Amino acid sequence: MAAYESDVCIIGAGISAAMLAEKLSELRPGLKITVVEAGKSIFDFDNRFKYRERMIRYGENPWPGDSIEGQAAQGQISRTMAVGGLALHWGGTCNRFSQEDLRLKSMYGLYQDWPIEWAELEKFYCEAERRLGVSGEPSQFPEDRRSEPYPMKPIPLTWSLERLKEWGNRSGIPFQATPQAKNTVPYGGRAACIRCGTCDICPTGARYSPDFTFKQLLAANKIELHDETLIRKLVLDDTKAWLAAARGVNPRGEVEYRAKAFVVASGYTWSSHLLLLSANARFPEGLANRAGQVGKYMNGHGFIQAFIEIDQDILPDMNPQYGLISRRFFRCSPGDPYVRHDLRIWEAGRGAPRMQDTGGRILLGDDIVNDWRSRSRRGVARVRAYYDIHPAENSELTLDSSAKNKWGDPMPKIAHRPDAASQARHESTRQHMADVFARMAHNDNGKILRINEGDYLDHPAGGCRMGADPASSVCDSFGRTHDHENLFVVGAPTLPTAGCTNGTLTFVALTLRSAEEIAKNFRKS
């Protein structure tokens, strides 16, 4: 069995791992850091324009080789496993949570409070925005005050978004551009965004992607990166509850990693999965799971959206992943019925052009365009709300013995279940959203074409939630597991709740805070 030793072994190579490795290498120069990733290194930036072109023309996956056959979870949103993780093809939206997310119990008597103060988290939000390179504008609400400005000005609004912002604001709900991890000027060694609208695979490098960070760290000899290496088990020391090794497999055979500190940065699915797989005689339910909390309280937020036809000239496909947000409903008064959500607007594409009209006449040249425009005289806005719901304890990830990978490991199964309070207010939340959509449709002779409710939870997190009480949580606010002093979990799994907006910036902020705690275990060189 091949064996490797380091100071810190990071398991997983997504955005949290990239930020952790970068900051640790700065705090403790000379620290030996090994990053281990089950998927491949897709360091082929020069090919991404070609991948983008084939995606547009043929609908091909623009990230070939970004998953592992047989390594999948029931109930999982994405199967991406590669160096860079889900943030290889994220949209780049970098919204912050609000103080209410951290004080649900104190303010509303719901769920639980986070074991961290807002002022502390806000400081690391600023650092996360600097490291990712976020362009944005300050919120219009004083409760969202910032201690530092955004690193870059916001991306200019398209023609369509200018019209949609005017329309949304007339309802009395103020909208602004969503903050994005996309450069509006050259930043971090990457180019400025040219707004080509294919953020799933950015051909210019303007959108932040973890592979850029890993390549920079490798070029400076600050880390070792072992890809195509699946860690299957964490191993305890023989005499104490101290992690001694991580064992796995790669194309050359079995491998073992020994380190002074281990960090599981494998995302909301595979972090809990690895801890459960690592059961032994002393921890028969899995590592860090003495209290039975690993895999519990899996969370995310629900979403409801409406398509609203309005008297506006909305032109399709002008940077379509860029949108507007209102933080008007991020907070509600403690005495009012509880409902918290963001509110987003995007352009909605017109119906596709056709080469034959309803009477069967063949359309050619300008007739195709004229027909298309005649059928699309009114614009359509897509309005979506991500709303806050809270998980029950049995909103969980478990091991599915009926589905195993080629090494015989049971795969994860995720079942999201809201707690009783979230279930009880579901109908009132739906009615609230219907009222908001109707309020917006009142402008510009609007007509609600349809309302859809999501059948899954978006931007998922949880499974190793942080908390002060070891009986009801897996780790403390720094991600240090209660049961094992040298084992940390960082990023999405540690979130007690998923708030009511995109969570990536929060994952990164918490990870950067964890880096400072992990660094304390090592002397400065």
Side-chain angles (χ1 to χ4, degrees), residues 181-433:
K182 300 168 187 171
N183 295 347
T184 50
V185 296
Y187 185 96
R190 297 179 288 112
C193 176
I194 59 174
R195 292 179 280 167
C196 54
T198 53
C199 301
D200 283 348
I201 183 162
C202 175
T204 67
R207 190 213 65 201
Y208 174 79
S209 182
D211 57 306
F212 288 102
T213 298
F214 283 121
K215 285 189 286 187
Q216 291 168 352
L217 293 171
L218 288 167
N221 294 316
K222 294 183 177 181
I223 66 168
E224 289 186 8
L225 174 62
H226 294 200
D227 64 354
E228 296 186 75
T229 302
L230 176 66
I231 297 299
R232 298 177 58 212
K233 190 178 184 66
L234 303 176
V235 181
L236 286 182
D237 182 271
D238 291 334
T239 60
K240 57 183 178 179
W242 183 273
L243 205 63
R247 291 178 184 160
V249 292
N250 62 29
R252 295 167 297 283
E254 295 184 346
V255 63
E256 179 176 275
Y257 295 88
R258 292 185 170 270
K260 297 172 185 176
F262 290 84
V263 184
V264 180
S266 303
Y268 79 99
T269 297
W270 303 107
S271 296
S272 294
H273 178 250
L274 179 58
L275 296 177
L276 294 175
L277 282 183
S278 301
N280 58 43
R282 284 185 285 163
F283 288 83
E285 301 302 320
L287 293 191
N289 201 27
R290 192 189 302 273
Q293 294 298 294
V294 171
K296 304 296 185 181
Y297 298 103
M298 299 293 289
N299 56 64
H301 35 245
F303 61 94
I304 300 175
Q305 69 179 3
F307 290 84
I308 305 177
E309 186 181 67
I310 54 178
D311 284 336
Q312 289 287 344
D313 189 13
I314 306 302
L315 304 178
D317 298 325
M318 296 176 65
N319 201 7
Q321 293 193 3
Y322 189 36
L324 305 169
I325 185 170
S326 176
R327 295 178 67 93
R328 163 67 179 80
F329 302 100
F330 264 61
R331 47 195 60 87
C332 65
S333 299
D336 292 340
Y338 184 84
V339 57
R340 294 179 56 245
H341 60 89
D342 71 5
L343 193 60
R344 315 282 274 277
I345 305 177
W346 295 270
E347 64 178 53
R350 303 170 187 254
R354 59 187 183 178
M355 296 187 68
Q356 189 176 36
D357 66 16
T358 52
R361 184 172 66 91
I362 300 298
L363 302 174
L364 298 171
D366 290 345
D367 288 343
I368 295 175
V369 176
N370 293 333
D371 171 74
W372 175 66
R373 286 182 170 171
S374 69
R375 291 184 291 112
S376 309
R377 294 186 186 282
R378 305 185 73 204
V380 177
R382 179 165 66 97
V383 184
R384 173 179 284 197
Y386 291 114
Y387 63 91
D388 185 33
I389 61 176
H390 309 141
E393 183 176 13
N394 69 341
S395 184
E396 60 188 349
L397 180 150
T398 55
L399 300 182
D400 183 3
S401 59
S402 67
K404 297 183 178 181
N405 64 13
K406 64 181 181 180
W407 296 282
D409 301 325
M411 291 291 94
K413 179 169 64 175
I414 301 171
H416 283 116
R417 300 179 178 95
D419 67 4
S422 296
Q423 293 183 58
R425 63 175 178 267
H426 181 67
E427 288 304 318
S428 61
T429 298
R430 290 180 59 185
Q431 185 58 55
H432 165 87
M433 289 312 314

Side-chain angles (χ1 to χ4, degrees), residues 74-89:
Q74 182 179 333
Q76 185 183 22
I77 292 178
S78 172
R79 288 184 58 180
T80 297
M81 296 186 80
V83 174
L86 293 174
L88 286 173
H89 50 74

